[in-house]
């Protein structure tokens, strides 16, 4: 569901806001109906981004598996939780408005400036990810080229959604990371002020102003962006103040996806929790591969005789991590060579089924 709603934001909500904002800035979309439609699109994008983060944080399974990341909402204090949720919504709304209008003001001068800005911005993100060995996404893909394509596209989508909505969940190490999240949020007002300055310099020429059919005044431009920026920073500051204090560090974390997987595996107190590592792209836990092998082979005899060792868990275990061929045949229950040929299709379905099992256990 998270992936579907993120795609909805990336492919529908954000483009809708951008198109309508472009029309508003160039003067063709300033009717009452157009303004109402723009406001509705902005609020919808902010609502989806906020609700996804809040639902993820309040999820019992997430809080049990990752108590150091999920739980910034103090659910035991209802009024405080509602206040934090509203602040998160205000933050996301301000981010949507700031980014959309910044892009629209850039477009007045030149579309080439938008392209250059986006290329530089995304280029820096990819360079940072690659230099830190953090480009590969956590979803397992057998084919190397497929894995690279999935990772590039996922980073593209996550970066876009973060830039335009400030979605809180995207501070997760598997996504953009805490430090990058905070950098994006705090740098937005600075970038917007620079773009506003460029816009006003460009439209100060009377010929240009006549050509584009009028422009916003400096008071309108600076007044709007400063008001929105102050509201956003105030909301962010109050949000950090009211949330559970132990989670503030997640907004500054430099942890990579690989470090996250390794830490979760080593800190897991039960075998059931350790099984989560097998749902992750193997490249991310390659540094502890032998550690995972030892854990699997040291417990296989006990697991095979246990009812909790479901077919979904069996399917998650890579064949090459089982040292005893006889045990491999036991846990598969079918011809091993035949199963290996079907492995690429089994793994994603096994992960989905195992996740469903975990959710059911959390609710029970």
């Amino acid at each position: 569901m998270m992936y579907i709603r993120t795609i909805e934001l990336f492919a529908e909500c954000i483009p809708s806001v951008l198109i309508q904002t472009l029309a508003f800035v160039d003067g063709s979309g300033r009717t009452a109906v157009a303004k109402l439609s723009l406001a509705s699109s902005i609020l919808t994008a902010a609502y989806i981004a906020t609700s996804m983060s809040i639902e993820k944080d309040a999820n019992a399974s997430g809080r049990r598996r990752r108590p150091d990341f999920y739980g910034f909402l103090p659910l035991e204090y209802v009024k405080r939780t509602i206040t934090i949720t509203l602040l998160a919504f205000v933050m996301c709304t301000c981010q949507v408005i700031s980014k959309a209008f910044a892009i629209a003001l850039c477009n007045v001068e030149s579309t080439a400036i938008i392209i250059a800005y986006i290329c530089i911005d995304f280029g820096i993100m990819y360079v940072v990810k690659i230099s830190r060995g953090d480009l590969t996404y956590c979803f397992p893909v057998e084919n190397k080229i497929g894995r690279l394509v999935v990772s590039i596209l996922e980073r593209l989508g996550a970066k876009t959604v973060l830039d335009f909505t400030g979605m809180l969940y995207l501070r997760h190490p598997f996504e953009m990371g805490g430090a990058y999240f905070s950098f994006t949020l705090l740098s937005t007002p600075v970038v917007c002020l620079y773009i506003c300055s460029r816009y006003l310099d460009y439209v100060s020429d009377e010929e240009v102003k006549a050509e584009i059919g009028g422009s916003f005044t400096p008071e309108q431009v600076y007044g709007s962006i400063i008001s929105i920026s102050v509201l956003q920073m105030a909301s962010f500051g109050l949000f950090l103040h009211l949330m559970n204090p132990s989670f503030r560090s997640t907004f500054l974390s430099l942890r990579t996806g690989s470090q996250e997987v390794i830490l979760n595996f080593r800190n897991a107190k039960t075998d059931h929790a350790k099984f989560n590592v097998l749902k992750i792209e193997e490249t991310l836990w390659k540094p502890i591969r032998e550690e995972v092998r030892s854990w699997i082979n040291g417990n296989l005899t006990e697991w095979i005789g246990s009812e909790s060792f479901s077919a979904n868990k069996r399917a998650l275990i890579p064949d090459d991590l089982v040292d005893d061929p006889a045990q491999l045949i036991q846990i598969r229950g079918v011809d091993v060579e035949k199963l290996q040929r079907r492995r690429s299709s089994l793994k994603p379905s096994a992960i989905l089924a195992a996740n469903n099992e975990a959710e059911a256990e959390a609710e029970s």
Side-chain angles (χ1 to χ4, degrees), residues 173-203:
F174 286 164
E175 303 297 340
M176 304 311 298
Y180 196 93
F181 171 90
S182 296
F183 169 76
T184 299
L185 218 62
L186 296 174
S187 64
T188 297
V190 178
V191 173
C192 288
L193 284 171
Y194 171 72
I195 290 174
C196 288
S197 176
R198 282 191 63 107
Y199 167 80
L200 291 171
D201 286 342
Y202 179 71
V203 299

Side-chain angles (χ1 to χ4, degrees), residues 2 5 46-60 63 69-75 80-92 166-171 239 243 251:
M2 283 287 291
R5 294 173 73 183
Y47 171 77
I48 293 174
T50 305
S51 62
M52 287 173 65
S53 298
I54 297 302
E55 288 169 14
K56 196 73 175 175
D57 183 77
N59 182 268
R63 289 192 171 207
F69 184 83
Y70 298 112
F72 66 78
L73 277 176
L75 297 179
R80 196 169 162 192
T81 296
I82 293 173
T83 302
I84 293 174
T85 302
L86 290 175
L87 287 171
F89 178 68
V90 172
M91 286 163 48
C92 290
M167 185 193 295
L168 291 165
Y169 169 72
L170 293 176
R171 76 191 196 285
F239 171 86
M243 68 183 288
F251 289 84

Side-chain angles (χ1 to χ4, degrees), residues 126 134-139 141 144-157 281:
Y126 280 119
D134 197 30
L135 178 64
T136 303
Y137 191 55
C138 62
F139 190 79
V141 179
K144 289 183 178 180
I145 296 177
R147 187 186 310 143
L148 179 62
V149 171
V150 168
S151 298
I152 290 174
L153 292 178
E154 197 285 333
R155 300 307 184 192
L156 174 69
E281 167 54 45

Side-chain angles (χ1 to χ4, degrees), residues 286-306:
K286 188 176 181 180
I288 60 166
R289 199 170 193 277
E290 291 308 310
E291 194 174 328
V292 175
R293 178 195 296 274
S294 298
W295 163 67
I296 289 174
N297 288 285
N299 291 281
L300 263 181
T301 302
E302 179 184 346
W303 292 343
I304 290 173
S306 172

Side-chain angles (χ1 to χ4, degrees), residues 62-180:
R63 289 192 171 207
R64 190 185 71 253
R65 287 186 292 105
R66 282 295 317 280
D68 60 327
F69 184 83
Y70 298 112
F72 66 78
L73 277 176
L75 297 179
E76 63 274 19
Y77 304 107
V78 178
K79 290 183 179 179
R80 196 169 162 192
T81 296
I82 293 173
T83 302
I84 293 174
T85 302
L86 290 175
L87 287 171
F89 178 68
V90 172
M91 286 163 48
C92 290
T93 302
C94 291
Q95 185 72 15
V96 175
I97 295 172
S98 297
K99 200 70 177 184
F101 275 88
I103 295 293
L105 291 177
C106 270
N107 187 63
V108 173
E109 183 176 353
S110 172
T111 304
I113 295 177
I114 300 176
I115 296 173
Y117 166 65
I118 291 175
C119 289
I120 293 172
D121 192 23
F122 279 77
I124 292 173
M125 181 271 293
Y126 280 119
V127 168
V128 170
K129 285 289 186 184
I130 292 171
S131 65
R132 303 189 68 217
D134 197 30
L135 178 64
T136 303
Y137 191 55
C138 62
F139 190 79
V141 179
E142 294 289 334
N143 183 276
K144 289 183 178 180
I145 296 177
R147 187 186 310 143
L148 179 62
V149 171
V150 168
S151 298
I152 290 174
L153 292 178
E154 197 285 333
R155 300 307 184 192
L156 174 69
K159 163 75 173 164
T160 302
V161 172
L162 173 59
D163 280 355
F164 279 91
T165 68
M167 185 193 295
L168 291 165
Y169 169 72
L170 293 176
R171 76 191 196 285
H172 194 287
F174 286 164
E175 303 297 340
M176 304 311 298
Y180 196 93

